Every structure is written in C-alpha cells, then in structure tokens.
C-alpha cells in the first residue's frame, strides 16, 4: 500500500486499486446502480414509516452509510487522478508553447505527446 498521489506513482500500468476504482466507477455510473441506490433509500424510508423493529432500522442505516463511504473513497481517488492528469497536461502544453516560441522543438514536445495519452496509464 502506498500513500503517494495516484498520478505520482509512476510505472507502466495502473495498480490494482486504480483498476478496481475505474471498474467500480463504471458500475456506479450505470442505471442499474442508480436503481439499487433508489431501492436502498426506499427501503430505509419504508422501514422508518412502518415502524419496524430497531434491527431493521440499524440495517438500513448501516447499509446506506457503508455505500456512502465506499463511494466517497472511490470518488476522491477518481478526482485526484483526473486533477493531476489535467495539471500535468497543462504543464506540458505550457512547456511546449515556450519551446515553440523559442523556435526549437525539443523535450517538451515529446513530453506533450506522452502526457496526451496519460489517461490510458492513470
């Protein structure tokens, strides 16, 4: 386990958590997951309205809390990766523009090509 920023970890490919977070992100953005969340919220409201036993209230509340915390962690991971990727692209564009203004294409142009394809690696 590493505490580095996802974009700073380097390496050829993404780690297990990054791949997992991306696949879960695809699932959680689907209509099926929305229906699941809607059912979970409906279950919680129904349990409260019906005045069912306390155990069911705890189960409903704990389920919603668990789903919320997991989604928060995955959302933050996705946000950090996207933020860092955008910043690296902007830095590469700025460096390439400076090189172009000086009239000598060099390392910044190569770096810009690499950074444009960054989404595949992060």
């Amino acid at each position: 386990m590493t505490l580095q920023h996802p974009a700073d970890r380097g390496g050829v490919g993404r780690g297990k958590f990054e791949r997992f977070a991306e696949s879960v992100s695809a699932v959680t953005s689907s209509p099926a997951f929305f229906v699941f969340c809607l059912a979970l919220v409906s279950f919680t409201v129904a349990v409260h309205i019906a005045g069912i036993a306390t155990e069911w209230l705890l189960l409903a509340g704990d389920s919603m809390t668990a789903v919320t915390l997991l989604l928060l962690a995955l959302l933050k991971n996705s946000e950090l990766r996207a933020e860092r990727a955008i910043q690296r692209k902007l830095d590469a564009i700025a460096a390439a523009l400076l090189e172009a203004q000086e009239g000598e294409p060099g390392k910044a142009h190569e770096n810009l090509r690499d950074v444009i394809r960054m989404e595949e690696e992060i």
Side-chain angles (χ1 to χ4, degrees), residues 45-64:
V45 171
V47 167
H48 280 284
I49 290 174
I52 299 178
T54 306
E55 292 84 17
W56 286 101
L57 291 171
L58 290 173
L59 175 66
D62 290 348
S63 299
M64 288 184 62

Side-chain angles (χ1 to χ4, degrees), residues 76-121:
K76 188 62 179 174
N77 177 273
S78 177
E79 175 189 337
L80 287 173
R81 287 186 295 123
E83 176 185 310
R84 188 56 59 102
I86 290 170
Q87 188 59 51
R88 287 183 61 190
K89 287 178 183 181
L90 288 173
D91 291 346
I93 290 169
L97 286 173
L98 285 173
E99 273 188 0
Q101 187 177 14
E102 293 172 358
E104 300 174 7
K107 180 74 175 154
H109 280 57
E110 294 173 19
N111 188 27
L112 181 59
R113 283 191 208 102
D114 293 339
V115 170
I116 289 172
R117 288 184 231 102
M118 186 187 317
E119 299 89 24
E120 299 167 3
E121 297 173 7

Side-chain angles (χ1 to χ4, degrees), residues 9-89:
R9 291 184 192 139
V12 179
R14 294 173 291 183
K16 291 179 184 178
F17 181 75
E18 285 81 15
R19 289 191 303 269
F20 173 73
E22 188 173 324
S23 61
V24 170
S25 177
V27 170
T28 58
S29 63
S30 71
F33 186 76
F34 177 77
V35 169
F36 168 75
C37 289
L38 192 60
L40 187 59
V41 170
S42 299
F43 171 69
T44 304
V45 171
V47 167
H48 280 284
I49 290 174
I52 299 178
T54 306
E55 292 84 17
W56 286 101
L57 291 171
L58 290 173
L59 175 66
D62 290 348
S63 299
M64 288 184 62
T65 301
V67 168
T68 302
L69 288 174
L70 290 173
L71 288 176
L72 179 66
L74 293 171
L75 178 65
K76 188 62 179 174
N77 177 273
S78 177
E79 175 189 337
L80 287 173
R81 287 186 295 123
E83 176 185 310
R84 188 56 59 102
I86 290 170
Q87 188 59 51
R88 287 183 61 190
K89 287 178 183 181

